[in-house]
Amino acid sequence: MNPLVTIAIPTFRRLAYLQEAVASALAQRYQPLEVLISDDDNAEVTAVRTWCEQQAAADPRVRYQRNTKTLGMAGNWNALADAARGEFLTIIGDDDRLLPEFVSRLVPSAVEGAAVVFCNHHLIDERGLRLER
């Protein structure tokens, strides 16, 4: 049986990017999976909050939490780590996108006892086109 993997996404007022990050997380071929979003904007009503609550209601793999006060990047990461249910955790930026095989390629290495598993990455522009380094 595959271990549960949490893809955690901290966010702060960047809905368009967040939507792409969540879509890429949900497109993973690996299961079981949870996508945990931690919103660091403590305003009562925001577009991010509305969208995230809709996603969580529509897909049981998505969980949403909103911080009651702004924690900053490190605090938001810690909130995600505390709330993650997975045996394995990856934290991606709300402006990151994962390829569909990301989790399924990394889990076997983690299961073998590695403390940290890392992979290559590509930089993209605002249109999603890969940048040459």
Side-chain angles (χ1 to χ4, degrees):
M1 177 174 214
N2 290 338
L4 176 65
V5 172
T6 299
I7 298 175
I9 308 172
T11 192
F12 184 78
R13 299 181 183 170
R14 298 196 318 172
L15 179 58
Y17 286 121
L18 177 64
Q19 290 170 326
E20 291 185 28
V22 170
S24 76
L26 292 173
Q28 293 302 297
R29 295 194 177 110
Y30 180 92
Q31 295 299 322
L33 183 79
E34 81 166 340
V35 178
L36 176 60
I37 304 164
S38 184
D39 186 358
D40 208 27
D41 188 348
N42 62 0
E44 281 301 313
V45 179
T46 68
V48 168
R49 180 179 182 181
T50 300
W51 183 83
C52 288
E53 288 174 345
Q54 291 169 348
Q55 298 310 299
D59 191 327
R61 298 174 297 168
V62 177
R63 290 196 305 127
Y64 170 70
Q65 63 185 31
R66 183 176 62 90
N67 300 326
T68 57
K69 65 177 186 171
T70 302
L71 302 176
M73 184 170 58
N76 204 11
W77 282 37
N78 288 336
L80 284 162
D82 288 343
R85 294 179 181 154
E87 183 176 337
F88 298 110
L89 167 67
T90 186
I91 301 176
I92 67 171
D94 61 2
D95 61 347
D96 292 340
R97 286 190 240 156
L98 302 173
L99 295 172
E101 297 293 328
F102 174 80
V103 175
S104 61
R105 288 183 183 221
L106 291 181
V107 166
S109 297
V111 171
E112 293 170 5
V116 176
V117 180
F118 190 79
C119 67
N120 198 1
H121 66 281
H122 305 285
L123 300 177
I124 59 174
D125 66 15
E126 65 278 356
R127 295 167 297 173
L129 301 175
R130 188 181 298 179
L131 299 172
E132 298 300 322
R133 294 184 207 192

